[in-house]
Amino acid sequence: MSELRGPVRIVGTGLIGTSIGLALARLGVVVELVDGNADNALMAERIGAGSRSVELEPQLVVVAVPPDHAGTVIAQQLELTERSGAIVTDAASVKSKPLADTRRLTGDLSRYVGSHPMAGSERNGPLAGRADLFDGATWAITPHETSDPEAVDLVRRLAEAAGARTVEMSVEDHDLGVARVSHLPHLMSALAAGTLTDAPSSHLQLSGQGVRDVTRIAAGDPKLWTQIVSANSTALTGLLEQIRGELDRLLVALGKEEAADELTAILGQGASGAVRVPGKHGTPHIELVTVLVTIPDRPGQLARLFADAAESGANVEDLRIDHSPGRPVGEVELAVKPTSVDQLVTVLTDRGWVVHR
């Protein structure tokens, strides 16, 4: 088993690269930061993600640049570390293109293992980096047919050191999987959000949590997402053709006077898919009950609510905050296991909260 001792060279100090540096810094691993943007590297260094000058040769190189450039940088790092024998991985969200690009540029790929931490944010840049970004997240490891087993093991150690749980799969399976659970949802969110660009302001005044949930991820960097979806076009095309068929089916149903059964079937299929999404930390989906709490728009109220919820003994599995414009109060949705509902409602009500089940 390969021990992750460092140094680790991180090429690219955006959200992912900086977060990996911060996660490794928690463990005292020496991290070297490299970025063509000197300001980004300096900022990542200042917030503790590593150092821009490390004298020792790296044990591991992490390439954290956009998919369009990943193959070139991977090949460069394999060449630069040929004498030291450092392992090279990347964090790109698409694996087929970096692997194909690297193959065109260099020969021996035994020291290269692709990987992809399934964590992120609509924010980007080093200041968005967080040491706990990968805690409990899934980190895919995608070895190719000539990857050295010790290289695969070291990349696994990297993911575990960052707090993630690992899953190993082929490059092709990974790209279809992320197209399904990440890239397609982003495109659907972008299409839904795009209908709001020229909507009357009176329509936007009706906005609630539903539209915020659906459109939140559409705020991601359009240039970066252009690279991501373009690099995964093969997998996405098949899924989009499937969606197009379902849209046609939906349009036909909406055009019928009596189409309740067809609409119910379409919506039911969506509900069946939604419950297959794993719960937190990759655990199987569990049914939760939502408790709605009205909360005044004043400082300190959220802290008080969380403290009172903790006193009930209920573990809040998930939460949402809905604060529509113009309202003096908000609404917090606390999702808990069914066995915790009665005690939570009783304690919150006794402490003066307006609670709805």
Side-chain angles (χ1 to χ4, degrees):
M1 299 285 284
S2 301
E3 180 184 356
L4 180 65
R5 60 183 185 278
V8 174
R9 175 183 295 161
I10 297 176
V11 185
T13 51
L15 166 67
I16 298 299
T18 300
S19 295
I20 293 173
L22 291 169
L24 294 177
R26 295 185 301 186
L27 304 176
V29 176
V30 175
V31 175
E32 177 186 5
L33 302 172
V34 178
D35 199 310
N37 185 323
D39 290 339
N40 279 357
L42 176 60
M43 186 59 66
E45 181 180 56
R46 284 179 172 173
I47 63 176
S51 172
R52 291 173 297 163
S53 58
V54 173
E55 295 182 359
L56 299 175
E57 287 291 323
Q59 177 197 20
L60 174 66
V61 179
V62 181
V63 175
V65 302
D68 276 6
H69 307 289
T72 300
V73 179
I74 292 166
Q76 289 172 346
Q77 290 300 316
L78 285 170
E79 182 177 342
L80 287 172
T81 59
E82 184 174 4
R83 180 174 297 179
S84 66
I87 305 305
V88 179
T89 188
D90 72 297
S93 58
V94 179
K95 308 316 311 175
S96 298
K97 179 175 172 54
L99 177 59
D101 290 347
T102 305
R103 276 183 173 146
R104 284 196 297 269
L105 296 168
T106 190
D108 181 9
L109 299 186
S110 61
R111 292 187 289 117
Y112 166 64
V113 180
S115 72
H116 176 207
M118 296 296 296
S121 167
E122 63 273 15
R123 299 174 60 210
N124 51 52
L127 289 179
R130 291 173 19 218
D132 63 350
L133 183 66
F134 311 107
D135 288 353
T138 300
W139 193 309
I141 301 174
T142 60
H144 51 87
E145 61 275 12
T146 62
S147 293
D148 188 303
E150 290 192 5
V152 177
D153 186 56
L154 185 61
V155 174
R156 184 179 294 110
R157 293 298 186 98
L158 166 70
E160 292 170 350
R165 59 184 187 85
T166 63
V167 57
E168 187 173 320
M169 59 180 61
S170 70
V171 168
E172 296 76 18
D173 198 31
H174 167 275
D175 285 0
L176 179 57
V178 293
R180 198 185 301 275
V181 304
S182 176
H183 305 166
L184 181 66
H186 190 95
L187 291 178
M188 295 298 100
S189 176
L191 290 174
T195 67
L196 304 177
T197 55
D198 56 359
S201 59
S202 58
H203 293 186
L204 299 179
Q205 290 297 316
L206 303 176
S207 298
Q209 193 60 38
V211 71
R212 296 189 184 96
D213 287 345
V214 170
T215 60
R216 178 184 61 81
I217 59 175
D221 182 355
K223 291 183 179 179
L224 175 60
W225 274 96
T226 295
Q227 290 192 37
I228 292 171
V229 299
S230 297
N232 206 17
S233 60
T234 300
L236 272 170
T237 296
L239 292 173
L240 286 169
E241 288 174 346
Q242 180 181 339
I243 291 289
R244 181 169 61 185
E246 291 301 300
L247 282 173
D248 289 340
R249 179 184 172 201
L250 179 58
L251 286 168
V252 170
L254 289 173
K256 295 179 180 178
E257 291 186 3
E258 297 181 359
D261 289 345
E262 183 72 0
L263 288 172
T264 300
I266 294 170
L267 296 171
Q269 185 175 357
S272 297
V275 299
R276 295 198 64 203
V277 177
K280 65 182 184 180
H281 311 310
T283 57
H285 176 86
I286 57 173
E287 292 296 332
L288 300 175
V289 178
T290 298
V291 175
L292 307 179
V293 184
T294 301
I295 182 167
D297 186 11
R298 297 197 304 270
Q301 296 304 299
L302 269 176
R304 185 168 71 87
L305 173 61
F306 294 152
D308 290 344
E311 286 295 321
S312 76
N315 184 44
V316 177
E317 303 288 339
D318 199 0
L319 66 90
R320 295 180 181 178
I321 302 175
D322 183 6
H323 194 169
S324 298
R327 295 180 60 195
V329 297
E331 193 168 66
V332 178
E333 301 179 8
L334 303 177
V336 298
K337 293 180 179 178
T339 53
S340 303
V341 172
D342 290 341
Q343 181 66 13
L344 176 64
V345 170
T346 298
V347 170
L348 293 183
T349 301
D350 288 346
R351 299 194 177 193
W353 295 101
V354 178
V355 181
H356 311 276
R357 298 180 64 173

mmCIF file of all heavy atoms in Angstrom, residues 145-167:
data_model
loop_
_atom_site.group_PDB
_atom_site.id
_atom_site.type_symbol
_atom_site.label_atom_id
_atom_site.label_comp_id
_atom_site.label_asym_id
_atom_site.label_seq_id
_atom_site.Cartn_x
_atom_site.Cartn_y
_atom_site.Cartn_z
ATOM 1 N N GLU A 145 -6.231 0.984 -18.741
ATOM 2 C CA GLU A 145 -5.697 -0.377 -18.785
ATOM 3 C C GLU A 145 -4.220 -0.476 -18.440
ATOM 4 O O GLU A 145 -3.740 -1.547 -18.047
ATOM 5 C CB GLU A 145 -5.938 -0.998 -20.172
ATOM 6 C CG GLU A 145 -5.278 -0.277 -21.333
ATOM 7 C CD GLU A 145 -6.098 0.871 -21.866
ATOM 8 O OE1 GLU A 145 -7.083 1.273 -21.198
ATOM 9 O OE2 GLU A 145 -5.758 1.378 -22.948
ATOM 10 N N THR A 146 -3.467 0.627 -18.530
ATOM 11 C CA THR A 146 -2.035 0.559 -18.211
ATOM 12 C C THR A 146 -1.672 1.287 -16.914
ATOM 13 O O THR A 146 -0.494 1.464 -16.615
ATOM 14 C CB THR A 146 -1.185 1.133 -19.373
ATOM 15 O OG1 THR A 146 -1.516 2.517 -19.562
ATOM 16 C CG2 THR A 146 -1.439 0.368 -20.658
ATOM 17 N N SER A 147 -2.653 1.692 -16.143
ATOM 18 C CA SER A 147 -2.362 2.362 -14.871
ATOM 19 C C SER A 147 -1.690 1.399 -13.906
ATOM 20 O O SER A 147 -2.142 0.259 -13.715
ATOM 21 C CB SER A 147 -3.650 2.893 -14.232
ATOM 22 O OG SER A 147 -4.225 3.927 -14.982
ATOM 23 N N ASP A 148 -0.618 1.851 -13.272
ATOM 24 C CA ASP A 148 0.088 1.049 -12.286
ATOM 25 C C ASP A 148 -0.798 0.905 -11.043
ATOM 26 O O ASP A 148 -1.342 1.895 -10.547
ATOM 27 C CB ASP A 148 1.401 1.747 -11.908
ATOM 28 C CG ASP A 148 2.288 0.886 -11.033
ATOM 29 O OD1 ASP A 148 1.828 0.455 -9.951
ATOM 30 O OD2 ASP A 148 3.442 0.639 -11.425
ATOM 31 N N PRO A 149 -0.966 -0.307 -10.503
ATOM 32 C CA PRO A 149 -1.800 -0.489 -9.307
ATOM 33 C C PRO A 149 -1.371 0.377 -8.130
ATOM 34 O O PRO A 149 -2.213 0.840 -7.353
ATOM 35 C CB PRO A 149 -1.631 -1.991 -8.994
ATOM 36 C CG PRO A 149 -1.313 -2.613 -10.315
ATOM 37 C CD PRO A 149 -0.477 -1.589 -11.044
ATOM 38 N N GLU A 150 -0.064 0.604 -7.974
ATOM 39 C CA GLU A 150 0.397 1.463 -6.877
ATOM 40 C C GLU A 150 -0.017 2.913 -7.108
ATOM 41 O O GLU A 150 -0.276 3.650 -6.147
ATOM 42 C CB GLU A 150 1.911 1.358 -6.726
ATOM 43 C CG GLU A 150 2.380 0.025 -6.180
ATOM 44 C CD GLU A 150 3.839 0.055 -5.775
ATOM 45 O OE1 GLU A 150 4.459 1.143 -5.839
ATOM 46 O OE2 GLU A 150 4.355 -1.007 -5.372
ATOM 47 N N ALA A 151 -0.101 3.324 -8.364
ATOM 48 C CA ALA A 151 -0.564 4.675 -8.672
ATOM 49 C C ALA A 151 -2.038 4.808 -8.313
ATOM 50 O O ALA A 151 -2.480 5.819 -7.740
ATOM 51 C CB ALA A 151 -0.342 4.975 -10.154
ATOM 52 N N VAL A 152 -2.817 3.781 -8.641
ATOM 53 C CA VAL A 152 -4.245 3.789 -8.296
ATOM 54 C C VAL A 152 -4.412 3.881 -6.785
ATOM 55 O O VAL A 152 -5.247 4.644 -6.275
ATOM 56 C CB VAL A 152 -4.939 2.519 -8.838
ATOM 57 C CG1 VAL A 152 -6.411 2.485 -8.421
ATOM 58 C CG2 VAL A 152 -4.818 2.450 -10.359
ATOM 59 N N ASP A 153 -3.605 3.129 -6.065
ATOM 60 C CA ASP A 153 -3.702 3.123 -4.606
ATOM 61 C C ASP A 153 -3.349 4.478 -4.011
ATOM 62 O O ASP A 153 -3.996 4.944 -3.064
ATOM 63 C CB ASP A 153 -2.779 2.052 -4.033
ATOM 64 C CG ASP A 153 -2.933 1.900 -2.526
ATOM 65 O OD1 ASP A 153 -4.059 1.650 -2.070
ATOM 66 O OD2 ASP A 153 -1.924 2.068 -1.809
ATOM 67 N N LEU A 154 -2.343 5.152 -4.559
ATOM 68 C CA LEU A 154 -1.959 6.456 -4.026
ATOM 69 C C LEU A 154 -3.046 7.494 -4.269
ATOM 70 O O LEU A 154 -3.311 8.335 -3.399
ATOM 71 C CB LEU A 154 -0.642 6.922 -4.652
ATOM 72 C CG LEU A 154 -0.070 8.223 -4.082
ATOM 73 C CD1 LEU A 154 0.241 8.081 -2.584
ATOM 74 C CD2 LEU A 154 1.177 8.657 -4.842
ATOM 75 N N VAL A 155 -3.692 7.441 -5.417
ATOM 76 C CA VAL A 155 -4.783 8.377 -5.686
ATOM 77 C C VAL A 155 -5.951 8.104 -4.733
ATOM 78 O O VAL A 155 -6.598 9.030 -4.247
ATOM 79 C CB VAL A 155 -5.234 8.281 -7.160
ATOM 80 C CG1 VAL A 155 -6.463 9.144 -7.403
ATOM 81 C CG2 VAL A 155 -4.100 8.710 -8.088
ATOM 82 N N ARG A 156 -6.163 6.834 -4.424
ATOM 83 C CA ARG A 156 -7.197 6.503 -3.442
ATOM 84 C C ARG A 156 -6.842 7.100 -2.082
ATOM 85 O O ARG A 156 -7.716 7.642 -1.370
ATOM 86 C CB ARG A 156 -7.353 4.989 -3.332
ATOM 87 C CG ARG A 156 -8.486 4.552 -2.386
ATOM 88 C CD ARG A 156 -8.633 3.038 -2.330
ATOM 89 N NE ARG A 156 -9.077 2.536 -3.630
ATOM 90 C CZ ARG A 156 -8.313 1.826 -4.459
ATOM 91 N NH1 ARG A 156 -7.046 1.566 -4.135
ATOM 92 N NH2 ARG A 156 -8.778 1.392 -5.598
ATOM 93 N N ARG A 157 -5.575 7.024 -1.722
ATOM 94 C CA ARG A 157 -5.139 7.613 -0.445
ATOM 95 C C ARG A 157 -5.354 9.130 -0.432
ATOM 96 O O ARG A 157 -5.705 9.709 0.596
ATOM 97 C CB ARG A 157 -3.660 7.301 -0.212
ATOM 98 C CG ARG A 157 -3.349 5.828 0.031
ATOM 99 C CD ARG A 157 -4.037 5.302 1.279
ATOM 100 N NE ARG A 157 -3.622 3.947 1.592
ATOM 101 C CZ ARG A 157 -2.687 3.630 2.476
ATOM 102 N NH1 ARG A 157 -2.050 4.589 3.135
ATOM 103 N NH2 ARG A 157 -2.385 2.374 2.720
ATOM 104 N N LEU A 158 -5.134 9.769 -1.570
ATOM 105 C CA LEU A 158 -5.383 11.205 -1.669
ATOM 106 C C LEU A 158 -6.841 11.522 -1.370
ATOM 107 O O LEU A 158 -7.159 12.420 -0.572
ATOM 108 C CB LEU A 158 -5.021 11.706 -3.066
ATOM 109 C CG LEU A 158 -5.526 13.114 -3.428
ATOM 110 C CD1 LEU A 158 -4.770 14.171 -2.635
ATOM 111 C CD2 LEU A 158 -5.399 13.366 -4.925
ATOM 112 N N ALA A 159 -7.744 10.802 -2.029
ATOM 113 C CA ALA A 159 -9.174 11.049 -1.836
ATOM 114 C C ALA A 159 -9.586 10.833 -0.389
ATOM 115 O O ALA A 159 -10.336 11.635 0.192
ATOM 116 C CB ALA A 159 -9.979 10.142 -2.765
ATOM 117 N N GLU A 160 -9.090 9.757 0.205
ATOM 118 C CA GLU A 160 -9.436 9.466 1.601
ATOM 119 C C GLU A 160 -8.859 10.513 2.540
ATOM 120 O O GLU A 160 -9.507 10.900 3.530
ATOM 121 C CB GLU A 160 -8.950 8.063 1.962
ATOM 122 C CG GLU A 160 -9.710 6.964 1.214
ATOM 123 C CD GLU A 160 -9.074 5.595 1.395
ATOM 124 O OE1 GLU A 160 -7.941 5.531 1.935
ATOM 125 O OE2 GLU A 160 -9.697 4.592 0.979
ATOM 126 N N ALA A 161 -7.660 10.994 2.243
ATOM 127 C CA ALA A 161 -7.058 12.037 3.076
ATOM 128 C C ALA A 161 -7.879 13.322 3.024
ATOM 129 O O ALA A 161 -7.947 14.073 4.008
ATOM 130 C CB ALA A 161 -5.631 12.315 2.618
ATOM 131 N N ALA A 162 -8.522 13.573 1.878
ATOM 132 C CA ALA A 162 -9.348 14.772 1.735
ATOM 133 C C ALA A 162 -10.718 14.608 2.368
ATOM 134 O O ALA A 162 -11.500 15.560 2.396
ATOM 135 C CB ALA A 162 -9.503 15.116 0.253
ATOM 136 N N GLY A 163 -11.003 13.391 2.869
ATOM 137 C CA GLY A 163 -12.271 13.162 3.560
ATOM 138 C C GLY A 163 -13.336 12.499 2.718
ATOM 139 O O GLY A 163 -14.477 12.340 3.174
ATOM 140 N N ALA A 164 -12.994 12.086 1.495
ATOM 141 C CA ALA A 164 -13.988 11.520 0.587
ATOM 142 C C ALA A 164 -14.035 10.002 0.693
ATOM 143 O O ALA A 164 -13.120 9.360 1.203
ATOM 144 C CB ALA A 164 -13.673 11.932 -0.848
ATOM 145 N N ARG A 165 -15.104 9.422 0.174
ATOM 146 C CA ARG A 165 -15.187 7.979 -0.006
ATOM 147 C C ARG A 165 -14.993 7.710 -1.495
ATOM 148 O O ARG A 165 -15.443 8.487 -2.332
ATOM 149 C CB ARG A 165 -16.528 7.423 0.480
ATOM 150 C CG ARG A 165 -17.743 8.014 -0.205
ATOM 151 C CD ARG A 165 -19.046 7.503 0.394
ATOM 152 N NE ARG A 165 -20.178 7.958 -0.397
ATOM 153 C CZ ARG A 165 -20.644 7.349 -1.468
ATOM 154 N NH1 ARG A 165 -20.071 6.228 -1.880
ATOM 155 N NH2 ARG A 165 -21.663 7.817 -2.129
ATOM 156 N N THR A 166 -14.332 6.632 -1.832
ATOM 157 C CA THR A 166 -13.938 6.414 -3.216
ATOM 158 C C THR A 166 -14.798 5.359 -3.897
ATOM 159 O O THR A 166 -15.318 4.438 -3.248
ATOM 160 C CB THR A 166 -12.468 5.978 -3.307
ATOM 161 O OG1 THR A 166 -12.291 4.728 -2.637
ATOM 162 C CG2 THR A 166 -11.557 7.021 -2.691
ATOM 163 N N VAL A 167 -14.929 5.506 -5.202
ATOM 164 C CA VAL A 167 -15.553 4.492 -6.040
ATOM 165 C C VAL A 167 -14.702 4.372 -7.300
ATOM 166 O O VAL A 167 -14.297 5.378 -7.875
ATOM 167 C CB VAL A 167 -17.015 4.853 -6.381
ATOM 168 C CG1 VAL A 167 -17.120 6.207 -7.068
ATOM 169 C CG2 VAL A 167 -17.655 3.766 -7.240
#
